């Protein structure tokens, strides 16, 4: 059983229980802090679908940060942990790790005690104006060179900042956003052909290739599972 609570900032708190065999999780470019059996791990920004492990004895609990925000909290270049699951202690300093672990532990008690994580989330949202502007540009499929000229001065510096802040390049962010919108449209009952045309894929085979890499299923399989 899976449930989540979306915070005002767009970040989310989630819990998963009784998932003995794990699950397939579509790529979303986000970073999660995951509490399982008393251990806190960091799921780096995902650029391909991932298979999760089984839940802990009491379940699994997570704090999901929107793309481009986690670097401010963890203090590391996110490209170093893209598509990896690593112990929190391995990616940040001892003081930060202890502070985050202390904030995560109350999630085991239920959905109410979220004060510290909600505060972290609000601070991240306030400090993430650059990355949020990049995400808006990706949603509009603005060419990378135009975004770079406006926000970083050169394409080289833009790419370096993208890798550090998001963990992947701008083209990947565009692909992740497009797949997210395609999933939403398929859930709402739109046909595969309509989704391919409206979201920005070249054709249905292009949509299928992207889904298999990013979502872990074909569009038809995804639509059937979401029905």
């Amino acid at each position: 059983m899976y449930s989540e609570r979306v915070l005002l900032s767009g970040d989310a708190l989630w819990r998963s229980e009784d998932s003995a065999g794990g699950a397939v999780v579509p790529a979303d470019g986000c970073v999660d802090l995951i509490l399982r059996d008393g251990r806190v791990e960091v799921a780096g920004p995902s650029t391909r679908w991932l298979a999760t492990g089984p839940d802990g004895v009491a379940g699994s609990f997570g704090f999901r940060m929107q793309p481009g925000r986690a670097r401010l909290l963890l203090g590391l270049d996110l490209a170093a942990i893209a598509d990896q699951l690593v112990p929190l202690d391995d990616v940040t300093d001892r003081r930060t790790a202890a502070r985050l672990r202390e904030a995560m532990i109350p999630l085991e008690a239920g959905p109410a005690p979220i004060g510290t994580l909600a505060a972290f989330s609000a601070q991240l949202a306030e400090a993430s104006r650059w990355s949020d502007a990049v995400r808006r540009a990706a949603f509009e499929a603005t060419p990378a060179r135009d975004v770079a000229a406006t926000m970083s001065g050169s394409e080289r510096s833009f790419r370096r900042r993208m890798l550090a802040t998001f963990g992947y390049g701008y083209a990947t962010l565009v692909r992740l956003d497009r797949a997210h919108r395609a999933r939403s449209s398929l859930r709402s009952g739109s046909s595969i052909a309509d989704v391919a045309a409206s979201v920005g894929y070249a054709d249905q085979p292009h949509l299928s290739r992207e889904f298999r890499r990013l979502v872990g299923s074909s569009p038809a399989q995804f639509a059937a599972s979401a029905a």
Side-chain angles (χ1 to χ4, degrees):
M1 182 177 65
Y2 176 85
S3 61
E4 72 176 31
R5 175 176 178 177
V6 179
L7 303 174
L8 292 176
S9 63
D11 299 329
L13 300 173
W14 56 265
R15 57 195 299 127
S16 176
E17 299 175 275
D18 303 323
S19 177
V24 171
V25 179
D28 59 11
C30 297
V31 172
D32 289 56
L33 297 181
I34 301 173
L35 170 65
R36 187 185 295 121
D37 289 336
R39 300 187 303 274
V40 179
E41 297 176 304
V42 180
S46 59
T47 63
R48 52 182 172 78
W49 69 268
L50 300 170
T52 67
D55 288 327
V57 174
S60 301
F61 309 87
F63 173 44
R64 177 175 300 119
M65 291 166 276
Q66 290 289 303
R69 292 184 178 175
R71 186 190 185 204
L72 297 169
L73 190 62
L74 300 174
L76 81 158
D77 287 2
L78 293 182
I81 59 169
D83 297 314
Q84 298 179 53
L85 182 67
V86 294
L88 175 63
D89 290 334
D90 288 356
V91 299
T92 191
D93 62 85
R94 183 178 301 178
R95 178 178 297 181
T96 300
R99 187 164 55 105
L100 292 175
R101 186 178 298 105
E102 183 178 348
M104 292 288 292
I105 292 297
L107 293 180
E108 292 181 319
I114 64 169
T116 302
L117 287 173
F120 284 156
S121 179
Q123 292 167 8
L124 292 176
E126 178 63 25
S128 299
R129 295 177 181 174
W130 185 88
S131 59
D132 288 349
V134 172
R135 288 172 57 205
R136 287 193 294 272
F139 176 82
E140 297 168 357
T142 305
R145 63 179 179 276
D146 295 340
V147 184
T150 301
M151 303 186 65
S152 293
S154 72
E155 291 189 50
R156 179 176 294 181
S157 63
F158 179 57
R159 176 168 175 75
R160 284 199 301 267
R161 189 166 181 180
M162 283 292 305
L163 290 174
T165 305
F166 285 84
Y168 43 82
Y170 180 75
T172 298
L173 179 61
V174 172
R175 293 173 58 220
L176 291 168
D177 180 79
R178 185 169 53 203
H180 173 76
R181 288 184 283 129
R183 297 201 311 271
S184 297
S185 295
L186 288 171
R187 285 195 197 98
S188 70
S190 298
S191 71
I192 295 173
D194 286 345
V195 170
S198 64
V199 174
Y201 291 98
D203 49 30
Q204 289 189 58
H206 183 203
L207 169 63
S208 294
R209 289 194 301 272
E210 288 289 274
F211 252 60
R212 292 189 182 281
R213 174 177 173 77
L214 299 177
V215 181
S217 66
S218 71
Q221 290 169 331
F222 179 84
S225 68

